[in-house]
Each structure stands twice: as C-alpha cells, then as structure tokens.
Amino acid sequence: TDVCESADWYNSKFIVSMAANMNMTRTPDVHFISEARTEGTKFVVLSPDFSQIAKYCDEWIPIQAGQDTALWMAGNHVILKEYYIDRQVPYFIDYVKRYT
C-alpha cells in the first residue's frame, strides 16, 4: 500500500495490506478500500493484531511478528513454480535469458 496511487485500489480485484493501518496512516485515502470492496474486490490483511483495518477485510491472517518474510517467500515460490516453471512461457524464458 505504500507505492501505488490510492485511487488505483478502486481498480483492483485483490488487495493485501501488510504492516499498515490505513485508518490511522492514510485516513484521506482509506475510503478507496471500501469503494473497491463494494465493487467486489477481495481484501486481505496480514497483521499480528486485529487492527482497525482488519475489521473491514474479507480475510485476516494473524501472522506472528517476523513471519511476514517467510510468508511472502512462500507465495513467490508458488507463483514462480506454477506460472513459470511448470508452465513454460516463451516471453518469460526470453526475458530471463536477456536480463539475468
């Protein structure tokens, strides 16, 4: 939630909030989350505590402090394995050969 324009949340279909309590830190922008959810966006919060933003989410994943990196590494592993190793895509193979 720290790098994109908040209005883009409205165009999203899946939003993950991690280490951010947008009700407190992005008060003018948090309405985009509720508007996106009205349009069907799924909203997931990764947080050790049931924060103010967690009460609005579709799913709260109560990770323990320090587990967030392992969770994202596991997610990246699944994405890379299922979409780029098990299913070979010529564009991705060419990209890897050129830039890595």
Side-chain angles (χ1 to χ4, degrees):
T1 60
D2 294 332
V3 293
C4 68
E5 168 61 36
S6 303
D8 286 339
W9 298 341
Y10 183 77
N11 300 318
S12 300
K13 298 299 174 208
F14 190 86
I15 299 172
V16 177
S17 174
M18 183 173 95
N21 188 350
M22 291 178 274
N23 286 3
M24 298 295 290
T25 60
R26 298 185 76 158
T27 306
D29 300 331
V30 77
H31 69 91
F32 289 113
I33 294 288
S34 63
E35 292 171 12
R37 290 196 63 232
T38 301
E39 293 297 312
T41 299
K42 182 165 176 136
F43 182 44
V44 176
V45 172
L46 305 170
S47 174
D49 62 334
F50 193 74
S51 61
Q52 289 182 349
I53 199 68
K55 68 182 178 182
Y56 299 115
C57 69
D58 295 301
E59 188 170 345
W60 169 53
I61 302 174
I63 59 172
Q64 293 181 7
Q67 289 182 336
D68 49 347
T69 302
L71 180 73
W72 283 117
M73 287 176 67
N76 286 331
H77 172 76
V78 170
I79 291 168
L80 290 172
K81 184 172 184 328
E82 291 182 5
Y83 289 95
Y84 296 108
I85 294 173
D86 293 345
R87 185 184 66 139
Q88 297 292 312
V89 178
Y91 173 81
F92 182 72
I93 293 169
D94 181 55
Y95 181 87
V96 170
K97 286 179 180 178
R98 284 183 193 209
Y99 300 109
T100 63

